[in-house]
């Protein structure tokens, strides 16, 4: 079997050789869905290669975090889903003999470089759309283990989906090749199906009521309307006294529901382009139990994000490594807390409103919304009443007494017009003594408290340059 991403084969082989030569490895990874799956893939690969290692997580890899990593007693450090953007500091520690860095990342690299650096952007592969951090870790695992690593492709797909790398409902580029290896290994299934979040776990009325992908009048955000629609389909959609889930329907039942949804949408004036968004490519983890969060890549990634937002990377990693008992229960409890906090945060934004300016819109939650979920709330607020969809939204939340977390969200349409929030967050934060980065459609930063207005002014100028 050929390498999944041939452009990266030489770099991947060099990184694999460096890991095989190490007495022990410290695996340092970002703490989000992509970072957790990256760590799960890398840790499994190191375990199978019989390379002793420890794992640490970080929300933001700044100078202090890197110094803490250097203090560990490991000669080799494997950075996954971050490291490329912090190469200047990392190479300083390398030059001082603190550790040998090996990096598997997909973010924009800094000007400095190091010998063992696996990043798709260095070889002309788009790290924002075609290969996630988990994908880079998978490429490294394949170089380390060969075809015996192909079962890890399922986790790589979860990471890509969690990193918002689907385009019009499906993965593209190198991610497609990785998904194909997962299908061939028997751990993944791809199919055209209803492209709504929650097909495995949400009762059908909730699935349709909460669907934000396509707004269908009389069903979306309308519990009674969703129930009346389902009751009108002449199907047995109950299991005892409970509503069934989409995953429990057979092919004919699914076709009936989709047909009814399409007819309802068209009758209510939903555009053809939007109607087609009801169906997309789904990614099913075939070895996971049907009807659970782990069966669907999107729901799996949401579960992992919940563990990350509450700084329980240990729980998320354990789930990625196959713990289906205590860790999964703990992750589900964190997900319930996460959903409650998101609901309360969104309600606060709706009540308080956002400040709409010429080039962007913003809100400052201070301590009312946990800083680790401000970005998610900002994304959920896009399209709500009083929130514009033609400009990015910026959310602030207090990180500590001296710093404020900034999270920005855009839309695919704005990205097509030239928006790159990674650049906006990075450059605007630096003008006020902060630091930031991320992706084109979603990015974040940390800035000194009291510098929010100056940051917004700088960000506005950058957005204006990109879009106008």
């Amino acid at each position: 079997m050929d390498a999944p991403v041939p452009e990266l084969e030489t770099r991947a082989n060099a990184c694999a050789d460096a890991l095989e030569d190490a007495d022990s490895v410290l695996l340092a990874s970002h703490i989000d869905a992509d970072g957790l799956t990256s760590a799960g893939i890398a840790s499994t690969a190191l375990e199978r290669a019989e390379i002793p290692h420890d794992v640490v997580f970080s929300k933001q890899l700044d100078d202090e975090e890197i110094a803490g990593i250097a203090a560990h007693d490991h000669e080799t450090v494997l950075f996954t889903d971050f490291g490329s953007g912090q190469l200047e500091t990392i190479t300083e520690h390398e030059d001082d003999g603190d550790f040998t860095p090996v990096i598997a990342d997909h973010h924009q690299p800094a000007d400095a470089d190091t010998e063992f650096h696996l990043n798709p952007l260095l070889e002309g592969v788009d790290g924002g759309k075609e290969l996630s951090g988990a994908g880079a870790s998978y490429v490294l695992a394949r170089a380390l283990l060969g075809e015996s690593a192909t079962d890890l492709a399922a986790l790589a797909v979860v990471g890509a989906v969690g990193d918002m790398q689907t385009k019009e409902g499906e993965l593209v580029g190198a991610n497609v090749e990785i998904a194909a290896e997962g299908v061939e290994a028997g751990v993944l299934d791809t199919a055209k199906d209803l492209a709504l979040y929650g097909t495995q776990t949400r009762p059908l009325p909730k699935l349709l009521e909460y669907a934000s992908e396509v707004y269908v009048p009389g069903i979306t955000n309308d519990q009674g309307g969703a129930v009346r629609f389902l009751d009108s389909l002449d199907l047995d959609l109950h299991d005892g006294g409970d509503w069934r889930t989409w995953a429990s329907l057979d092919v004919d039942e699914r076709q009936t529901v989709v047909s009814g949804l399409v007819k309802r949408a068209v009758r209510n004036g939903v555009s053809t382009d939007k109607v087609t968004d009801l169906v997309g490519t789904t990614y099913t983890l075939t070895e996971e139990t049907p009807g659970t969060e782990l069966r669907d890549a999107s729901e799996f990634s949401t579960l992992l994000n919940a563990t990350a937002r509450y700084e329980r990377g240990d729980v998320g990693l354990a789930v990625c490594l196959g713990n289906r008992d205590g860790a999964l229960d703990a992750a589900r409890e964190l997900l319930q807390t996460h959903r409650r906090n998101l609901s309360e945060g969104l309600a606060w934004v709706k009540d308080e409103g956002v400040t709409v300016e010429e080039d962007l819109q913003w809100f400052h939650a201070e301590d009312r919304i946990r800083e680790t979920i401000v970005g998610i709330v900002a994304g959920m607020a896009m399209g709500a009443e009083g929130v514009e969809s033609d400009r990015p939204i910026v959310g602030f939340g207090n990180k500590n007494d001296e710093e404020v977390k900034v999270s920005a969200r855009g839309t695919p349409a704005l990205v097509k017009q030239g928006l790159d929030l990674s650049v906006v967050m990075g450059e605007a934060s630096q003008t006020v003594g902060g630091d930031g980065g991320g992706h084109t459609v979603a990015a974040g930063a940390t800035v000194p408290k009291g510098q929010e207005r100056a940051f917004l002014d700088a960000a506005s100028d950058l957005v204006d340059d990109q879009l106008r």
Side-chain angles (χ1 to χ4, degrees):
M1 184 182 291
D2 295 333
V5 189
E7 299 93 330
L8 302 181
E9 185 173 10
T10 298
R11 289 181 178 273
N13 288 337
C15 290
D17 289 343
L19 294 174
E20 289 178 324
D21 290 341
D23 292 330
S24 67
V25 173
L26 179 64
L27 169 56
S29 194
H30 193 205
I31 186 168
D32 62 2
D34 193 21
L36 288 165
T37 49
S38 298
I41 292 166
S43 180
T44 301
L46 291 170
E47 183 72 24
R48 291 179 184 176
E50 299 182 349
I51 301 171
H53 66 283
D54 295 315
V55 184
V56 295
F57 291 100
S58 176
K59 288 190 296 182
Q60 186 172 344
L61 192 63
D62 54 22
D63 292 354
E64 184 178 349
E65 288 286 317
I66 296 171
I69 287 170
H72 283 75
D73 189 22
H74 294 274
E75 292 183 358
T76 300
V77 178
L78 171 58
F79 295 91
T80 57
D81 195 36
F82 56 18
S84 292
Q86 298 78 26
L87 270 169
E88 292 175 352
T89 302
I90 288 173
T91 53
E92 288 178 5
H93 285 279
E94 180 182 19
D95 292 342
D96 290 340
D98 294 336
F99 56 75
T100 297
V102 179
I103 298 172
D105 192 11
H106 68 129
H107 295 97
Q108 188 64 44
D111 290 336
D113 204 358
T114 189
E115 183 177 2
F116 308 115
H117 188 191
L118 174 61
N119 187 311
L121 292 166
L122 298 172
E123 299 296 339
V125 178
D126 191 334
K129 300 175 183 177
E130 299 182 37
L131 193 73
S132 69
S137 291
Y138 176 75
V139 171
L140 176 58
R142 284 277 276 108
L144 195 61
L145 302 172
E147 293 183 21
S148 64
T150 54
D151 61 308
L152 299 175
L155 272 183
V157 167
V158 173
V161 170
D163 212 50
M164 299 182 288
Q165 293 203 350
T166 52
K167 182 179 180 181
E168 297 179 353
E170 62 182 16
L171 296 172
V172 299
N175 285 323
V176 175
E177 304 305 319
I178 294 174
E181 291 201 349
V183 171
E184 188 171 343
V187 296
L188 196 68
D189 181 52
T190 62
K192 290 292 184 181
D193 201 351
L194 189 68
L196 302 181
Y197 177 85
T199 55
Q200 292 291 326
T201 60
R202 283 179 173 171
L204 283 166
K206 294 298 182 185
L207 175 73
L208 300 183
E209 177 191 352
Y210 292 147
S212 58
E213 294 85 351
V214 180
Y215 182 82
V216 181
I219 296 177
T220 307
N221 296 329
D222 186 340
Q223 181 179 1
V227 170
R228 288 190 295 273
F229 165 74
L230 292 166
D231 285 339
S232 73
L233 295 177
D234 194 28
L235 293 173
D236 182 9
L237 299 178
H238 290 84
D239 181 9
D242 298 324
W243 283 95
R244 294 165 67 188
T245 64
W246 182 261
S248 72
L249 304 184
D250 63 30
V251 173
D252 290 339
E253 289 171 327
R254 293 184 184 190
Q255 182 58 48
T256 299
V257 176
V258 170
S259 178
L261 272 176
V262 169
K263 290 177 181 177
R264 175 68 67 89
V266 171
R267 190 164 65 242
N268 284 277
V270 179
S271 69
T272 303
D273 287 344
K274 285 293 184 182
V275 170
T276 58
D277 289 343
L278 284 168
V279 176
T281 302
T282 58
Y283 300 91
T284 302
L285 282 74
T286 57
E287 294 192 335
E288 300 295 346
T289 304
T292 68
E293 301 92 339
L294 306 182
R295 182 81 172 179
D296 174 75
S298 182
E299 293 194 61
F300 196 154
S301 69
T302 298
L303 184 75
L304 293 178
N305 255 326
T307 69
R309 301 296 172 179
Y310 301 90
E311 299 175 31
R312 291 302 308 272
D314 58 319
V315 172
L317 177 61
V319 173
C320 289
L321 295 178
N323 185 317
R324 296 292 175 266
D325 297 317
L328 182 54
D329 290 339
R332 285 172 170 157
E333 290 180 10
L334 288 166
L335 180 58
Q336 288 182 346
T337 299
H338 185 52
R339 286 175 170 160
R340 183 172 61 251
N341 289 342
L342 289 177
S343 177
E344 293 172 354
L346 183 59
W348 181 86
V349 172
K350 288 180 177 179
D351 288 343
E352 295 296 321
V354 301
T355 301
V356 180
E357 300 183 355
E358 184 174 357
D359 299 302
L360 48 73
Q361 54 200 325
W362 61 274
F363 64 88
H364 201 316
E366 298 179 341
D367 293 319
R368 296 176 184 87
I369 299 175
R370 189 182 177 95
E371 53 98 3
T372 57
I373 66 170
V374 164
I376 303 176
V377 172
M380 294 169 65
M382 289 286 274
E385 186 176 352
V387 181
E388 306 295 334
S389 60
D390 63 351
R391 68 205 71 192
I393 185 170
V394 174
F396 295 98
N398 291 343
K399 186 173 183 178
N400 50 50
D401 292 339
E402 294 81 30
E403 296 174 310
V404 173
K405 174 67 182 295
V406 193
S407 294
R409 295 293 185 270
T411 65
L414 289 171
V415 171
K416 285 182 180 180
Q417 294 175 39
L419 180 70
D420 187 340
L421 288 175
S422 174
V423 172
V424 173
M425 290 291 100
E427 294 187 7
S429 62
Q430 288 173 13
T431 65
V432 297
D435 187 40
H439 302 295
T440 54
V441 74
T446 299
V447 300
K449 188 172 288 188
Q451 293 296 314
E452 292 93 331
R453 183 66 258 173
F455 169 85
L456 285 169
D457 291 341
S460 296
D461 290 343
L462 289 162
V463 171
D464 179 66
D465 288 343
Q466 290 177 351
L467 298 183
R468 316 298 173 203

